[in-house]
Amino acid sequence: MERLINKYAAKLIRAGLCDPGEPLVAGLDDELVWNREDDIRPELERLFKLLSINSLVCARPAEPFQTIINHLADKHPTVIRPQDCETRTFLHDLPVAPEFSARAMAEALRRRKSVIVPHPEGGRAVVACGAVSPEQGFVFLSSVCFAGFVLFFSEHLDETRKGLAKKDQVRAFERAAGFLPEPVPAAPRLMSGPFLSEDEALAAIAQAGRHTVDLGLVDSYFGNVSYRLGDLLYISQTGSSLDELEGCVDPCPMDDSSCAGLTASSELTAHMAIVRGSQARAILHGHPRFTVVLSMDCGLADCPERGQCHVRCPGRRSVCGVPVVPGEVGAGPLGLARTLPPAIMAPDNESGAAIVYGHGLFATDHTDFNRTLETMIEVENACRAEYFERLAGGGGA
Amino acid sequence: MNGWTGSILLVDLDRGETGVLRPDRALYAKFLGGRGLAGHFLRPKATLAWDDPETPLLVFTGPLNGTASPTPGRATIMSRSPLTPATACSSVGGRLGRELKNAGWDGLIITGKSARPVGLEIRDREARLVDASMLAGLTTGRIFDRLTASEPKASLAATGPAAENGVLFASIAVDRHHAAGRSGLGLTMAAKGLKYLLILGTGRTEVHDPAMLKQARQDILRLTAASPVLMGGLGLSRYGTPALYDLMHSRRMMPTDNFRHTRFEAAARLNAHALVQRFRPKAAGCAGCHIRCKRVDESGRSLPEFESLSHFTALIGNDDLDAAVAANELCNEYGMDAISAGATLACLLEITGEEVSGARILELLRDTALGRGLGADLGRGSRRLAEYMGWPEKSMSVKGLELPAYDPRGAYGMALALAVATRGGCHLAAYPVSHEILRKPVATDRFSFSGKARMIKIAEDMNAAVDSLPACKFTFFAAGLEEYAKAYTAVTGEPSSAQDLLLAGERVYYNERIMNALNGLTIKDDDLPVRFFEDDGDSGGGVSVKALDRDEFLDARERYCRVRGLDEHGRPTGQTAQRLGLEWND
Ligand code: SF4
Ligand SMILES: [Zn+2]
């Protein structure tokens, strides 16, 4: 337990989600352990009496997330309802508590995985809990930050376009935008393919995953990576950390002769369809934030599918030259496994990539991960520039 | 009431009479339904012998049966076990829960003993007892053919020859492809002179807020669609539970040769893919389920689940896939639990050193079901068999219930869960395979006891709630009580949250622990066979499978007792019972 609470406290900082010294992480088996001292611990400890949980994370997100979450919580004082895929699938919505009391927090945490609360020392904290591992709190906090970011930038663009952006929102926007890091730097040189051995393929997968996280193109727990070697597709496991893929890659026979890859990524079916139907060997999937924001920015006001865009968007949309498709996580009837592979393999798609509405980008290459990472960086930077252009242009798409 | 029907059917087989019980709403809210209500009604009779006429056989549905809530097809059958000193409880699929609910009943409480074999036929609010002596000796398949020919929509639960011949792990076959398998409930049912239950319901469950239920359903379906284990290309929906076979093999935790090894060389030829190639199976499932994890071949024969596939191959050293499928089929036809049958056979083979052919496996299983020769000893389960033959340590069981197909040396949460489960060696009470192997909701270190005590406790509470709502435990590889609380509230109108359901689950679970204590079970019974602490498993491929460290295990078990609110002897405490609203004087 102690190892895990320290690990995820450190990971929150390394991911840029919290400032150093900020995260409080607790784990309970028969005795409660914390990663550090803090005056707010007694109130949080009461949560362990009120809820059947075994771990908890409490932290004020770092900028720009702090500004974003503060603003969203002021604007939506009881519940925030983002529309991105991570929220839609896993969190449903983001409850906001009025005060930093165990009772108020428990009220929300009885039904949801996280709650946004005023922090006694100012600003807002996210409190998230789990019944299995402190990793859950880490994942939920990172999802709240991601969802908040996407909602905040989406709403602002939309409301600016409609002339509805209020003064406090413009201020919050300017402040948050001021905290944005520089555009993603050029990709580092990754291992050169084609890879001929399992060891090489595994090393290349782990390297690509780590850089994708380090460049801020996906939060650790999300995204996936695969490489085809002969008749095997090596793919990151479901719920693996993209920056810690050593030992977390499943070899899946392309003829389905083994189910040992049952633990493979939820997007195995989509990856398989792509490598089976094309020359692609390397596939990289991340959740770059501005790419996701723009994937949801559609100007078609009178579309009959409004409200169902994420599964039914009928338009042939593209963002920065990359097609955007609807689809939910996985291989279900509305899953992206049905929409993504045809978009990537379409003869007129020169990017070898596709964006899933409200979700993220999948990039492919015939040789190794260099081009896939470059594509993701280029698209994200282009989307970011495009975002500010649309905003400056009064928001026209 | 919404969700519940408000009526429980009482059947007295002594007098051939029926009655109706109408509990107040508070009792429903307290125990939810299914496993919870069954446990509540078993409690006053919990110390009676399994074959005492006053011992009730309980069949219970919950508020979600017969609704649009995902995986609403499960029901609970509970009673005393002939095989173990613990409570016998089985979650059963098929259409039983739906038909009983649609007939207007939340549950059945069957007491007494009929002098002649009878069937209980329920058509909506009408129940009658029918002579069943002509079914004696028939296999379950023949019984299904006979009784459902004119009523194909009815749900049928019946015992087979194994129960007639006193097999202690006899099962209740349900709707051909399902069973209340474990703990010998088939024999308990047979002891009442009850041969079958036939139920047909034409009513429907009233739902408090259909729009909210639809939303909850969509939330849950979205999560299951996102789950590789459930709906992925290699998942349960595509291959059935045998999808787990390769995984357990690759993780080196496949029980082999009566748990003397953890890896079976021939496994790659006996996996889910091999079943597909050889039998071209079709999917089948419980009422209303969208996952559909059952597999049936072209002739309509059930193919083995993961557990029976593993035990009828690796555990008994059999590399003949046809024989494994036939062995599973034989268990279904004669009405016996395939896990206990396979594990008891494995125990015998270890003791005698015999190596068996496919034909010999089938011969021994048939003899078991018919109580012939050596089969009569096999039919008493591995604990009695091993004791009788002078090798008690070779029974791979907990509380007398044979262990399922996960070697505890390969997953320490599973080790603890198997040891403490209320019905004995049961993987489903806490199913830590979910996080230790399948990485859901997040992955945990399978070779560590750290944090596992509370994880197991919370998962037991969750699964007790799941069995009471009911829903299928497989759904919880993806969804959680968070989503199901919404479904429960939508159906019943009862305000609830994930935490409220967990509390109800804790109550359901603790009540079972109390019943075990009433039967004299203590911490000494919460233990694993000594082999797991003495012998290493088969390491290799970068994985080291060591014997469990006894001290670490005991330490984890002590922590479990503290977290669960038990005293140092593993007995319930008055304080915890009171907190949960249960009666218990310690
Ligand atoms: S997943 Fe399988 S066991 Fe569960 S309800 Fe569906 S068919 Fe039945
Ligand atoms: Zn994704």
Side-chain angles (χ1 to χ4, degrees):
Chain A
M1 226 8 142
E2 258 177 282
R3 190 180 64 79
L4 290 179
I5 60 175
N6 290 321
K7 171 178 172 174
Y8 288 104
K11 224 173 150 166
L12 283 167
I13 297 163
R14 202 170 69 235
L17 294 167
C18 300
D19 292 328
E22 174 63 28
L24 256 176
V25 185
L28 173 68
D29 196 21
D30 61 334
E31 279 167 19
L32 192 62
V33 279
W34 289 92
N35 67 320
R36 64 174 179 83
E37 292 296 328
D38 199 299
D39 292 346
I40 60 173
R41 262 174 42 175
E43 198 60 30
L44 293 170
E45 274 172 24
R46 265 172 222 136
L47 285 174
F48 284 93
K49 296 233 154 54
L50 295 169
L51 305 167
S52 190
I53 52 175
N54 85 336
S55 52
L56 175 149
V57 170
C58 170
R60 278 172 296 185
E63 294 293 1
F65 305 110
Q66 179 60 230
T67 297
I68 290 170
I69 284 169
N70 248 326
H71 175 75
L72 290 174
D74 288 340
K75 187 170 170 186
H76 311 279
T78 57
V79 60
I80 303 171
R81 300 184 195 280
Q83 293 300 312
D84 64 281
C85 156
E86 285 178 27
T87 310
R88 208 181 264 287
T89 312
F90 302 106
L91 298 177
H92 309 303
D93 54 40
L94 315 180
V96 180
E99 57 179 31
F100 191 87
S101 72
R103 214 176 44 81
M105 290 185 269
E107 177 68 23
L109 292 172
R110 295 179 74 75
R111 48 195 81 241
R112 289 288 182 248
K113 301 173 179 86
S114 71
V115 61
I116 294 168
V117 285
H119 191 282
E121 288 166 21
R124 278 196 172 79
V126 177
V127 178
C129 49
V132 171
S133 157
E135 182 176 6
Q136 290 169 285
F138 165 80
V139 173
F140 301 148
L141 191 142
S142 82
S143 266
V144 170
C145 290
F146 173 82
F149 187 102
V150 171
L151 178 67
F152 178 81
F153 281 88
S154 298
E155 270 189 355
H156 186 65
L157 179 57
D158 189 48
E159 287 170 11
T160 304
R161 186 175 288 150
K162 294 178 181 145
L164 296 174
K166 295 202 184 119
K167 196 164 157 196
D168 63 329
Q169 177 158 310
V170 175
R171 277 217 193 104
F173 178 82
E174 279 163 4
R175 186 175 154 82
F179 283 114
L180 284 177
E182 292 297 303
V184 190
R189 184 70 204 163
L190 303 178
M191 288 169 64
S192 297
F195 308 115
L196 302 174
S197 71
E198 176 174 279
D199 286 349
E200 273 185 316
L202 292 176
I205 286 171
Q207 184 193 39
R210 181 165 297 114
H211 282 292
T212 311
V213 174
D214 288 350
L215 291 167
L217 296 165
V218 71
D219 285 321
S220 168
Y221 180 80
F222 293 93
N224 37 68
V225 198
S226 72
Y227 191 83
R228 177 192 177 169
L229 180 62
D231 294 331
L232 290 175
L233 180 70
Y234 290 86
I235 184 165
S236 54
Q237 292 183 333
T238 180
S240 54
S241 298
L242 231 53
D243 52 347
E244 301 175 61
L245 284 180
E246 288 79 6
C248 291
V249 173
D250 280 331
C252 300
M254 293 190 44
D255 63 359
D256 283 349
S257 59
S258 164
C259 292
L262 185 56
T263 46
S265 159
S266 48
E267 308 308 358
L268 170 68
T269 307
H271 286 239
M272 270 291 183
I274 294 166
V275 295
R276 279 186 184 134
S278 73
Q279 297 296 311
R281 282 208 183 95
I283 304 177
L284 179 65
H285 165 50
H287 296 182
R289 296 186 187 113
F290 279 103
T291 307
V292 175
V293 170
L294 279 207
S295 77
M296 299 164 78
D297 184 45
C298 170
L300 213 62
D302 54 354
C303 177
E305 302 294 352
R306 268 258 174 254
Q308 291 293 307
C309 317
H310 65 293
V311 283
R312 303 210 192 283
C313 171
R316 287 180 53 96
R317 297 178 53 226
S318 68
V319 166
C320 303
V322 181
V324 180
V325 295
E328 294 191 324
V329 179
L334 303 172
L336 64 86
R338 290 166 198 257
T339 53
L340 179 80
I344 291 211
M345 297 187 291
D348 59 345
N349 180 0
E350 281 163 18
S351 67
I355 298 166
V356 179
Y357 181 97
H359 177 170
L361 177 87
F362 289 76
T364 66
D365 187 64
H366 297 179
T367 318
D368 56 34
F369 291 103
N370 280 294
R371 183 71 207 128
T372 62
L373 188 59
E374 283 161 19
T375 303
M376 199 173 295
I377 293 170
E378 280 163 20
V379 173
E380 174 64 358
N381 285 341
C383 284
R384 176 173 167 163
E386 170 77 15
Y387 176 89
F388 283 97
E389 267 170 41
R390 287 187 192 183
L391 194 67
Chain B
M1 279 203 278
N2 293 309
W4 300 285
T5 68
S7 305
I8 293 167
L9 178 64
L10 306 172
V11 180
D12 180 346
L13 295 170
D14 282 334
R15 296 186 191 81
E17 288 171 1
T18 60
V20 181
L21 190 70
R22 298 184 201 282
D24 59 32
R25 191 181 170 98
L27 185 76
Y28 284 102
K30 185 171 174 183
F31 288 100
L32 305 177
R35 179 172 157 191
L37 275 182
H40 168 75
F41 287 110
L42 181 60
R43 168 79 190 274
K45 308 285 173 79
T47 55
L48 295 178
W50 64 273
D51 54 355
D52 188 314
E54 281 312 300
T55 295
L57 180 72
L58 304 135
V59 183
F60 270 81
T61 71
L64 302 188
N65 284 109
T67 71
S69 172
T71 65
R74 313 290 305 179
T76 292
I77 304 185
M78 192 186 277
S79 190
R80 298 280 295 130
S81 169
L83 182 68
T84 81
T87 302
C89 171
S90 191
S91 162
V92 57
R95 300 187 297 275
L96 189 68
R98 182 182 69 191
E99 293 305 316
L100 184 58
K101 187 76 174 300
N102 286 353
W105 304 104
D106 294 317
L108 303 176
I109 303 179
I110 305 168
T111 51
K113 178 174 167 51
S114 166
R116 299 161 51 106
V118 288
L120 172 59
E121 302 196 349
I122 299 171
R123 290 179 185 79
D124 291 330
R125 304 293 286 188
E126 190 190 301
R128 58 186 192 122
L129 293 167
V130 180
D131 178 42
S133 20
M134 69 294 181
L135 301 176
L138 296 187
T139 59
T140 59
R142 297 283 298 283
I143 295 174
F144 283 110
D145 290 343
R146 277 221 198 169
L147 296 180
T148 56
S150 58
E151 258 171 328
K153 288 199 173 142
S155 173
L156 180 64
T159 60
E164 289 167 2
N165 295 313
V167 173
L168 297 187
F169 46 84
S171 61
I172 304 171
V174 176
D175 298 334
R176 249 179 240 275
H177 307 304
H178 308 263
R182 308 230 66 197
S183 302
L185 281 163
L187 187 57
T188 307
M189 177 160 155
K192 311 200 88 53
L194 183 62
K195 182 66 183 167
Y196 70 88
L197 266 172
L198 183 132
I199 308 174
L200 190 66
T202 58
R204 44 182 293 221
T205 299
E206 294 302 325
V207 169
H208 171 74
D209 184 343
M212 183 180 179
L213 180 59
K214 190 173 169 197
Q215 263 182 18
R217 178 180 168 83
Q218 281 172 351
D219 289 346
I220 294 165
L221 293 190
R222 194 178 295 121
L223 281 162
T224 56
S227 157
V229 180
L230 295 177
M231 306 301 271
L234 304 174
L236 302 192
S237 192
R238 170 112 183 260
Y239 286 103
T241 54
L244 290 160
Y245 192 84
D246 288 316
L247 195 59
M248 291 306 137
H249 183 236
S250 74
R251 299 296 186 266
R252 293 182 174 261
M253 56 184 289
M254 176 171 272
T256 302
D257 295 338
N258 201 32
F259 291 86
R260 277 174 288 170
H261 295 281
T262 61
R263 190 175 155 82
F264 185 51
E265 278 313 321
R269 288 186 280 115
L270 304 165
N271 61 5
H273 180 72
L275 279 174
V276 169
Q277 298 290 308
R278 179 109 183 79
F279 298 100
R280 304 272 156 220
K282 286 185 306 208
C286 306
C289 177
H290 66 292
I291 300 167
R292 293 166 63 79
C293 73
K294 309 288 166 199
R295 288 298 174 275
V296 178
D297 76 2
E298 281 161 339
S299 68
R301 172 174 69 157
S302 287
L303 293 173
E305 300 263 2
F306 160 66
E307 306 287 340
S308 32
L309 182 63
S310 187
H311 275 10
F312 283 134
T313 56
L315 198 70
I316 56 173
N318 165 45
D319 62 1
D320 175 348
L321 185 60
D322 287 352
V325 170
N328 178 67
E329 173 68 359
L330 197 147
C331 287
N332 289 346
E333 285 291 313
Y334 285 89
M336 354 182 240
D337 175 26
I339 298 179
S340 285
T344 305
L345 186 54
C347 172
L348 176 78
L349 299 183
E350 181 182 347
I351 292 171
T352 61
E354 182 183 348
E355 282 187 20
V356 278
S357 65
R360 175 73 174 143
I361 292 167
L362 299 179
E363 182 192 343
L364 284 168
L365 287 173
R366 200 170 287 117
D367 285 350
T368 303
L370 299 176
R372 293 191 305 219
L374 196 50
D377 296 318
L378 284 166
R380 299 170 69 225
S382 70
R383 187 164 56 99
R384 289 173 178 83
L385 176 84
E387 262 164 27
Y388 165 73
M389 295 185 84
W391 300 92
E393 70 281 9
K394 295 195 192 298
S395 164
M396 294 294 115
S397 61
V398 172
K399 302 182 180 77
L401 187 68
E402 286 73 20
L403 293 174
Y406 308 90
D407 196 294
R409 286 164 293 199
Y412 293 7
M414 188 49 119
L416 181 61
L418 290 172
V420 301
T422 44
R423 76 169 178 182
C426 163
H427 55 300
L428 294 168
Y431 211 70
V433 164
S434 182
H435 48 88
E436 294 192 311
I437 303 294
L438 299 173
R439 313 179 58 83
K440 293 296 161 188
V442 290
T444 61
D445 180 358
R446 67 182 171 119
F447 293 114
S448 163
F449 281 110
S450 171
K452 295 284 166 75
R454 183 168 299 266
M455 275 181 234
I456 297 303
K457 186 264 181 194
I458 296 175
E460 286 169 340
D461 294 347
M462 177 178 90
N463 284 348
V466 170
D467 284 338
S468 304
L469 287 169
C472 177
K473 292 185 196 78
F474 291 150
T475 320
F476 288 74
F477 293 151
L481 288 179
E482 179 181 349
E483 292 80 20
Y484 270 95
K486 189 165 169 181
Y488 171 77
T489 298
V491 168
T492 62
E494 196 70 33
S496 78
S497 65
Q499 291 290 325
D500 294 332
L501 292 182
L502 267 183
L503 182 66
E506 183 180 11
R507 179 178 301 122
V508 171
Y509 194 88
Y510 209 74
N511 185 46
E512 290 167 10
R513 189 85 199 184
I514 288 175
M515 290 194 279
N516 278 356
L518 288 169
N519 283 299
L521 294 175
T522 67
I523 193 78
K524 289 198 183 69
D525 300 288
D526 295 322
D527 210 345
L528 294 170
V530 57
R531 166 164 296 157
F532 299 120
F533 302 102
E534 291 181 345
D535 303 338
D536 292 344
D538 299 82
S539 300
V543 182
S544 157
V545 184
K546 294 260 175 274
L548 295 170
D549 183 303
R550 181 75 186 160
D551 292 336
E552 282 183 18
F553 169 80
L554 292 177
D555 178 57
R557 195 179 67 178
E558 262 175 44
R559 280 185 277 125
Y560 172 84
C561 286
R562 282 198 291 276
V563 173
R564 172 57 75 202
L566 303 170
D567 70 14
E568 69 271 29
H569 307 296
R571 289 171 61 84
T573 63
Q575 199 187 3
T576 306
Q578 195 186 17
R579 175 171 65 78
L580 297 170
L582 297 169
E583 271 174 45
W584 171 253
N585 300 315
D586 54 344

